[in-house]
Amino acid sequence: MTRVLVVEDEAAIAELIALNLRHASFEVEIAETASAAQFAVDRVLPDLVLLDWMLPGASGLQLARQWRADARTRDLPLIMLTARAEEADKIAGLDAGADDYLVKPFSTKELLARIRAVLRRKAPEALDAAIEIGTLRLDPATRRVHVGGATSAEVKIGPTEFRLLHFFMAHPERVHSRAQLLDRVWGDHVFIEERTVDVHVKRLREALAPTGVATMIETVRGSGYRLARPKIGGTP
Ligand code: CA
């Protein structure tokens, strides 16, 4: 389930957004201040944050800058909400690292469309769209993995390996550290040991081995793991 953190101090607005997002099958948490938002993010990294500009204490803009400066939250999908419509504010918001910007009042339809657009760009694993890389196809809607195009065979994998493969396929070629994988795939970077990642990568490779695509999951020594796109023109 896609986790959205709503950072908004006006309770009525926060509740309305939360209601609409829950109706659209998102899991929603509300934070009323910048420090409550930081606390929530320290605990579990959300898939996306809706961040109000005007907050008591530290502003949404300060919080956005703070998150962009931290390796763990650098890529956190972020949409700023504000009552300000002036162009200079919009530019300040985008400069602070917001992925998009919504001016209040906005319709639920527009909010959902913007959320989906930002997720497609930055966290496609939070959406239900099927992903294909080489001969490998993963469909989150049916929770199935196939290899081999038209004459494809289904690959049987466990739920954790499925989520891990989904994340790798949504971010091909990028190297992910074990800590990042725990954060993004397990949603727990504190209590689960990094060795757990190795165990599930091993299981994922074992499941993919009969289909010949297990080598796509590469170990990057000293850094973590990466899913490499198959080289065009066959095996090197
Ligand atoms: Ca506010």
Side-chain angles (χ1 to χ4, degrees), residues 61-180:
L61 201 64
Q62 283 172 281
L63 195 55
R65 288 208 186 98
Q66 193 176 308
W67 283 341
R68 287 309 183 236
D70 181 346
R72 182 170 171 255
T73 45
R74 191 180 297 144
D75 295 321
L76 189 60
L78 188 60
I79 299 178
M80 295 225 39
L81 308 178
T82 178
R84 306 169 175 222
E86 288 88 17
E87 176 144 56
D89 294 334
K90 197 165 184 166
I91 290 165
L94 295 172
D95 276 349
D99 296 298
D100 203 353
Y101 194 96
L102 264 172
V103 178
K104 295 178 200 170
F106 46 80
S107 72
T108 301
K109 242 185 182 171
E110 180 171 17
L111 174 64
L112 292 174
R114 301 277 186 127
I115 288 177
R116 278 193 294 267
V118 169
L119 288 176
R120 245 192 320 274
R121 196 149 46 87
K122 296 197 71 183
E125 73 281 4
L127 296 168
D128 258 0
I131 306 179
E132 267 180 62
I133 291 180
T135 57
L136 194 59
R137 179 185 162 86
L138 178 144
D139 188 346
T142 57
R143 297 200 73 79
R144 287 198 160 123
V145 179
H146 285 88
V147 176
T151 55
S152 69
E154 189 176 343
V155 183
K156 293 287 182 197
I157 61 175
T160 304
E161 289 72 37
F162 185 94
R163 282 189 285 120
L164 189 58
L165 182 61
H166 192 184
F167 183 77
F168 278 137
M169 289 177 76
H171 304 275
E173 300 296 334
R174 283 189 63 168
V175 180
H176 310 285
S177 70
R178 288 165 179 83
Q180 284 170 331

Side-chain angles (χ1 to χ4, degrees), residues 10-82:
E10 283 156 87
I13 297 176
E15 288 299 337
L16 185 64
I17 293 173
L19 187 77
N20 286 318
L21 292 183
R22 286 185 186 124
H23 194 69
S25 298
F26 291 98
E27 191 181 303
V28 185
E29 187 175 353
I30 296 171
E32 290 181 0
T33 61
S35 57
Q38 185 64 57
F39 184 78
V41 164
D42 285 346
R43 199 166 38 82
V44 182
L45 210 53
D47 293 302
L48 183 137
V49 180
L50 296 177
L51 180 58
D52 187 32
W53 182 303
M54 296 296 285
L55 295 167
S59 73
L61 201 64
Q62 283 172 281
L63 195 55
R65 288 208 186 98
Q66 193 176 308
W67 283 341
R68 287 309 183 236
D70 181 346
R72 182 170 171 255
T73 45
R74 191 180 297 144
D75 295 321
L76 189 60
L78 188 60
I79 299 178
M80 295 225 39
L81 308 178
T82 178

